[in-house]
Amino acid sequence: MSGNYTEAVADFNKLNANNDISGLLLKFEKTAQTNVNDWLPSYYASILYARLSLKQKQNADIHADKAIFWANKSLSIQANDENYCALSMAKTAKMAVNPYLRWLSYEKSIYEPLAKARKINANNPRIYILEASLKLNLPVLFGGGCEKSKALLIKAKQLLNKQLPQPILPTWGKQSLDELKQSCPF
């Protein structure tokens, strides 16, 4: 791996909600095109496009489609827990464009990758962060809400605390937990 790639992952890990991610996206897309057997650049591109879709509503569908494209590309290189999490996140972004109309058609494609990820590595905190976020945003009437999310959030936090820093492997989640904690203290 090149130094630029390691720097790009470090920049990814420092992102906050106010950062412009377009330059970082370009780095990961270019790296994915030149390192066709490495799943990580496609993975990071997928995660960034999913975040962009959730953040920029005017191009949300386009960004979600790109997130799904990159998640599928990373999965085609290596079917692992992180890539299944990326696919779930990408499908969630696609559903979130219009949740009332899309939930029923996307629900299965959001939860199935998380179940596959859990079978591969039940100690991946990102699985529980994504599940907690889904539960938190689901109406109480349909089995969601803060109370249903707390156990998942606590498990994610415990797993994140055990996670060792990695120079290029995914370690994100702390900021996501902090954001979820604002609407659901745990």
Side-chain angles (χ1 to χ4, degrees):
M1 284 300 136
S2 69
N4 277 348
Y5 182 46
T6 305
E7 289 170 24
V9 174
D11 290 344
F12 173 91
N13 288 328
K14 290 183 225 165
L15 283 177
N16 65 47
N18 301 321
N19 290 119
D20 175 28
I21 61 175
S22 54
L24 196 51
L25 258 172
L26 283 174
K27 284 182 188 177
F28 284 120
E29 286 178 323
K30 284 182 181 179
T31 305
Q33 291 164 358
T34 57
N35 297 293
V36 294
N37 294 321
D38 184 359
W39 63 272
L40 283 161
S42 299
Y43 167 86
Y44 285 113
S46 176
I47 298 293
L48 289 171
Y49 272 117
R51 288 181 182 177
L52 201 54
S53 175
L54 295 167
K55 188 171 142 181
Q56 293 183 352
K57 294 300 177 191
Q58 69 273 20
N59 294 318
D61 249 338
I62 294 166
H63 295 314
D65 288 340
K66 288 181 179 180
I68 292 167
F69 168 81
W70 287 110
N72 283 325
K73 184 170 170 64
S74 64
L75 265 168
S76 73
I77 297 167
Q78 185 174 338
N80 63 34
D81 55 315
E82 295 294 353
N83 284 327
Y84 283 118
C85 285
L87 181 61
S88 177
M89 191 172 176
K91 295 286 187 162
T92 299
K94 186 71 174 175
M95 177 274 305
V97 172
N98 193 334
Y100 297 109
L101 294 178
R102 293 184 179 181
W103 174 250
L104 288 176
S105 57
Y106 278 89
E107 180 183 18
K108 187 176 180 183
S109 68
I110 290 169
Y111 282 110
E112 273 184 355
L114 292 177
K116 288 178 182 179
R118 184 179 279 124
K119 280 184 181 176
I120 295 169
N121 179 8
N123 292 320
N124 183 335
R126 284 160 290 287
I127 297 166
Y128 304 99
I129 291 167
L130 295 171
E131 285 182 349
S133 178
L134 288 166
K135 281 239 185 268
L136 188 60
N137 291 303
L138 193 64
V140 175
L141 183 65
F142 298 111
C146 181
E147 288 306 311
K148 299 283 185 176
S149 301
K150 281 185 181 181
L152 294 166
L153 292 166
I154 291 166
K155 177 143 179 119
K157 183 176 173 122
Q158 290 168 343
L159 291 171
L160 266 177
N161 288 340
K162 293 178 186 175
Q163 188 171 273
L164 299 174
Q166 299 283 336
I168 59 170
L169 293 176
T171 58
W172 64 268
K174 185 177 179 343
Q175 182 181 339
S176 299
L177 274 182
D178 291 343
E179 290 169 10
L180 292 168
K181 197 174 201 174
Q182 290 174 10
S183 53
C184 183
F186 62 94

